[in-house]
Amino acid sequence: MTEQLDRWTMATDHPDMWVDPDDDPREGQGDPVEGELDTLRDFLAGYRTTLLMKCDGLDAEQLARRSVPPSTMSLLGLLRHLAEVERDWRNWIGDADPLPRLYGEKDADFHGAVADQAVVDAAYADLAREQAATDAALAKHPDLGERLARDGITVREMLVHSVEEYARHCGHADLLRECVDGRVGQ
């Protein structure tokens, strides 16, 4: 039987939130967002930050803790999976030979998410590197209607799909984090 954790949050003014709005790193960054391209980029950046917030403060064992059998999903697995996804998106953008998978065969991103600090450090480094590379590749295509190499997807579709992928996995991260230590919030 699994021990039930108390629900908790870092917020003091808004106990239903992860952090109080004044402390939220996703709010008030830079100039106001204007236009569709900047809006999509802003939402993607917000979800990327949310994923990192959900992993913050956990050790290797907690990050690698799997949800419920037979699922292989863990917060560490999500970090690795999204690094793999970012890499694959670049395959959609360019005409070059596809980049090799980071972690090997299908689902290796989740299967290899083990409680080892070196694996955790590599996952964070991989994710940051792949996000930066994807952003750099997309920056060369500011026209949302432009069709990109692989399958002719538009830049708009690519960005919306990116937001959707992160949003979906941030929902998973909410539940995974609550299972690890009871922390809840936005």
Side-chain angles (χ1 to χ4, degrees):
M1 185 164 135
T2 304
E3 147 187 4
Q4 186 170 1
L5 303 169
D6 292 330
R7 294 167 58 97
W8 69 280
T9 176
M10 297 281 290
T12 55
D13 295 333
H14 301 278
D16 60 331
M17 294 184 166
W18 187 261
V19 295
D20 290 319
D22 290 344
D23 300 325
D24 193 332
R26 298 165 297 183
E27 301 298 325
Q29 300 294 316
D31 296 327
V33 175
E34 294 185 23
E36 187 180 1
L37 178 60
D38 286 342
T39 299
L40 289 168
R41 287 178 177 160
D42 187 60
F43 269 86
L44 180 57
Y47 280 118
R48 285 172 169 173
T49 300
T50 298
L51 178 68
L52 296 176
M53 290 170 68
K54 295 298 176 172
C55 296
D56 186 51
L58 298 178
D59 63 28
E61 184 280 323
Q62 291 170 313
L63 286 167
R65 193 175 299 167
R66 298 199 171 163
S67 57
V68 290
S71 176
T72 58
M73 191 176 293
S74 66
L75 289 166
L76 180 56
L78 288 176
L79 292 172
R80 289 166 50 98
H81 172 70
L82 286 163
E84 193 77 77
V85 167
E86 292 274 355
R87 175 170 278 222
D88 191 47
W89 285 333
R90 286 200 317 287
N91 289 332
W92 295 11
I93 297 168
D95 291 320
D97 289 337
L99 297 165
R101 295 181 65 86
L102 284 172
Y103 305 112
E105 294 300 312
K106 183 178 180 177
D107 293 331
D109 40 4
F110 288 103
H111 292 298
V114 296
D116 179 314
Q117 191 59 47
V119 174
V120 170
D121 294 344
Y124 278 110
D126 291 344
L127 182 61
R129 182 190 65 246
E130 297 303 322
Q131 287 172 339
T134 299
D135 290 347
L138 277 173
K140 296 174 185 172
H141 305 279
D143 177 358
L144 289 170
E146 179 186 350
R147 296 212 171 266
L148 301 171
R150 181 173 162 190
D151 301 325
I153 189 172
T154 65
V155 173
R156 178 182 293 104
E157 291 171 300
M158 173 82 183
L159 285 167
V160 168
H161 181 68
S162 301
V163 169
E164 180 272 335
E165 182 81 11
Y166 271 91
R168 177 174 176 258
H169 290 311
C170 282
H172 295 135
D174 284 337
L175 298 172
L176 288 163
R177 180 62 187 250
E178 188 173 359
C179 286
V180 168
D181 68 359
R183 188 158 181 204
V184 297
Q186 84 269 26

